[in-house]
Amino acid sequence: MVSSPLEDNEDGSKAQTLNTVSDKWIAIHAKQVLRMLPGGLDVIGIFALAAPDVMKNSQNKLRQVLFATQKIITKCQVVVVKQPHNDKYILQICSVTRKLVCRTFDTSDPKSSANPAEWKPNQSFLDRWFRLNSHVTIDNLPIAVNNNAMDHPFDKQLLSGTKEYCDRLWNSVGLVNGQLRRPDDPLDGAQEASRKRPKGKEKKVVSSECRSMSIDLLMTMPVVSTQPPKITDCAASMLVRGTMTCRAYVHSKSTAAEAIDTLKADAIRSLISRCDLLCEEVMETEEDQDPKVLYETPKRVFVALKNSPLSMCDYVFESESQQDLIDRFKELFGIEIENEDLSTEVEHLPTEDDLMKPGQKKKSIEDIIAASTPQSVTKYIGLAISGLMAIVAAGLSYMYVSQD
């Protein structure tokens, strides 16, 4: 459970009661927390701590906050994944007796009523989990912005252009440790084999660390239409390129299909988070300025949690320091981390030598744009686009914009 920071009121004071809390404030915090979660972890509801009389008078407010939170999270999704249910949770904690009351709401139905749920703390919940690792490369994904969309915000132009790619990513084929597994195969083959052995008095050994598995995603090529090509007048074109480091966690009873889907969800969430953060950075720094000719998207950093096999993540720009990371985790999660808890080298930003300035480029087919990828040498591509051109690299890379 993660407590939301206290919101400042108009008079500078802090919001102290449930009825004065802004549902938008909580929803934005939920969105920020979701960005920092690896695959397999999600925001499943809200919790509140208050006295009995305050809690009783705040039931409508809690419901309002829950639906506002789910609305902003759903808005960020570019791929609609079918879930077994749409129930989200409200956990109410009495500040006097410490009694827990848990209720669920079907957030797909605005008129849904509360249903009772049982809350059972489980001390061994994280035992025998698997950590899934992967690298997903986006190789020159084109995004065309037609004339009618030029008035749309930059984030809508960019995110709408990634939807087709995210759909292909979600429908890709996954390999577990280099092997093609049946969807219903248990991920933990050793556990399945132990079930077939005669039962005996064997001492159960629980590891404090997650076992790692590698997931490779194989994407199909876009379907080539037999229809005549449709010509659309475009005012801009963006090209997405780069490699993302992906990480997800699943329990030991997961199937191969569940593990692969969890890793896919992390890859999609990571791509959208990077694009979203880049758009926020552009809007904040260039609201009253001319557009830059070069942008760098944030890289992913993982943070180890003390006394836990899990790790969180964050995205940092080149201008941000490790102290900025530490302060952000304290503000959003309320936890203290140290420099040694940070894994900052899983992805790399391009160096100055990897980036060619637009003034040094000729507008011809020999134009070269350089981008570096994690654990690889510098790669080069050639292209020629007239008008407005943008290159946005996912993970480690950069955005290049030029205009005739």
Side-chain angles (χ1 to χ4, degrees), residues 290-316:
D290 294 332
K292 291 183 179 179
V293 296
L294 185 65
Y295 298 99
E296 293 181 359
T297 58
K299 70 174 184 177
R300 196 175 194 180
V301 174
F302 291 99
V303 181
L305 299 181
K306 293 180 173 60
N307 303 320
S308 173
L310 303 182
S311 61
M312 299 294 136
C313 71
D314 198 2
Y315 299 90
V316 294

Side-chain angles (χ1 to χ4, degrees), residues 174-284:
L175 304 180
V176 180
N177 285 341
Q179 297 181 347
L180 183 63
R181 306 274 293 273
R182 289 194 299 265
D184 57 348
D185 279 352
L187 188 63
D188 188 358
Q191 184 181 69
E192 182 68 14
S194 65
R195 294 177 182 173
K196 301 178 182 180
R197 299 174 188 160
K199 293 184 178 180
K201 295 182 178 180
E202 297 182 359
K203 185 177 180 181
K204 184 179 178 181
V205 179
V206 178
S207 174
S208 59
E209 298 182 357
C210 293
R211 287 176 290 172
S212 295
M213 285 193 173
S214 175
I215 302 292
D216 297 316
L217 300 179
L218 308 179
M219 297 178 62
T220 58
M221 297 295 294
V223 178
V224 179
S225 176
T226 57
Q227 300 296 326
K230 181 180 179 181
I231 300 176
T232 304
D233 291 333
C234 295
S237 178
M238 292 179 283
L239 193 64
V240 181
R241 183 173 188 242
T243 300
M244 302 183 298
T245 299
C246 303
R247 181 178 296 182
Y249 295 89
V250 293
H251 58 80
S252 60
K253 295 183 180 179
S254 300
T255 64
E258 291 172 341
I260 293 171
D261 286 349
T262 303
L263 196 283
K264 290 178 182 178
D266 178 73
I268 294 173
R269 181 193 296 174
S270 181
L271 173 60
I272 299 306
S273 296
R274 299 169 201 262
C275 294
D276 200 12
L277 287 168
L278 176 62
C279 294
E280 291 180 6
E281 178 74 7
V282 171
M283 292 175 62
E284 290 178 2

Side-chain angles (χ1 to χ4, degrees), residues 34 39-44 70 73-74 76-89 105-108 170 257-258 261-266 268-269:
L34 186 62
L41 303 182
D42 207 341
V43 176
I44 62 173
Q70 186 59 26
I73 291 176
T74 304
C76 299
Q77 297 176 347
V78 295
V79 176
V80 179
V81 180
K82 186 177 180 180
Q83 301 291 345
H85 62 80
N86 296 305
D87 291 345
K88 299 300 177 181
Y89 302 86
F105 289 85
D106 183 358
T107 53
S108 64
W170 181 255
E258 291 172 341
D261 286 349
T262 303
L263 196 283
K264 290 178 182 178
D266 178 73
I268 294 173
R269 181 193 296 174

